Amino acid sequence: MIYKLLSSLLLAAAPLLASHRSLADAASADKENEVKSILQRMETDVLAFRDEMERVYSARCETKTLTECAETNFNDCSSTFPSQQCAKADELIFSACRDGETCNALWDKTLSTVSIPAALAQGPLDNPNDNEVIESACYSRLAEQYMIDKYKTDEEYWAKYNVQPSWT
């Protein structure tokens, strides 16, 4: 008797289970497609960034690149940035600058900077004195506008996944 009851319940539930399974399969396929879309976007972004870095590398020895670089010195502890803000302790801590309790670094979210280890910053005003490091810092600045524009165009897309850079 119990066997017949269970059998009839299972037979009655079979279409429900099958439709639940197809809904789960559809949801799984949707998620898989979404992940594929994200990975495709990331691959496209990486290739575009590669192209941009190749462009800026080819301009590394131009007079304008070297002149503009010579006119800048952005030290996280002591420089004056165009739109600087004090980074809060929960955002960023540079122990060399402060105690981590108050303003512990000057941070400008509108400007890219190149940070180097103190061991490489042996020149005047804590700048590097190695020519290769100087050249790399100088020409990488040429990618700044690309990175700013890319961030602005991608902000809304990544926000829907609750992903954002640590400095926002």
Side-chain angles (χ1 to χ4, degrees):
M1 178 72 154
I2 293 177
Y3 175 73
K4 282 188 175 187
L5 180 62
L6 286 174
S7 294
S8 64
L9 285 173
L10 286 174
L11 285 173
L16 292 173
L17 292 172
S19 69
H20 182 271
R21 200 169 319 137
S22 65
L23 287 174
D25 291 344
S28 179
D30 287 346
K31 289 294 182 189
E32 185 175 334
N33 288 335
E34 186 173 16
V35 169
K36 284 179 183 178
S37 172
I38 291 169
L39 292 174
Q40 179 62 47
R41 183 180 182 120
M42 291 173 72
E43 180 179 1
T44 301
D45 288 351
V46 167
L47 294 174
F49 185 67
R50 176 209 55 200
D51 294 346
E52 178 64 12
M53 291 310 293
E54 286 177 355
R55 183 194 69 78
V56 301
Y57 184 78
S58 69
R60 73 189 184 285
C61 296
E62 292 178 5
T63 304
K64 182 180 178 191
T65 301
L66 299 173
T67 303
E68 288 177 358
C69 185
E71 296 171 355
T72 59
N73 171 42
F74 295 129
N75 180 296
D76 292 323
C77 298
S78 61
S79 292
T80 302
F81 294 91
S83 301
Q84 72 186 16
Q85 302 171 3
C86 287
K88 299 177 206 146
D90 64 342
E91 291 179 312
L92 184 63
I93 295 177
F94 286 135
S95 57
C97 299
R98 299 280 191 266
D99 58 7
E101 299 293 322
T102 57
C103 180
N104 58 71
L106 300 175
W107 199 257
D108 187 339
K109 297 178 184 180
T110 66
L111 177 73
S112 298
T113 62
V114 176
S115 298
I116 59 171
L120 296 176
Q122 300 299 317
L125 299 172
D126 295 326
N127 283 307
N129 52 8
D130 179 294
N131 288 336
E132 194 170 316
V133 173
I134 294 168
E135 179 184 300
S136 296
C138 285
Y139 83 77
S140 65
R141 292 177 63 250
L142 298 174
E144 178 178 23
Q145 193 58 53
Y146 171 85
M147 291 185 282
I148 290 169
D149 294 343
K150 184 68 177 145
Y151 174 81
K152 287 178 182 175
T153 60
D154 285 0
E155 191 173 22
E156 185 177 328
Y157 175 82
W158 291 109
K160 67 184 175 185
Y161 298 106
N162 200 25
V163 176
Q164 54 186 273
S166 60
W167 62 84
T168 58

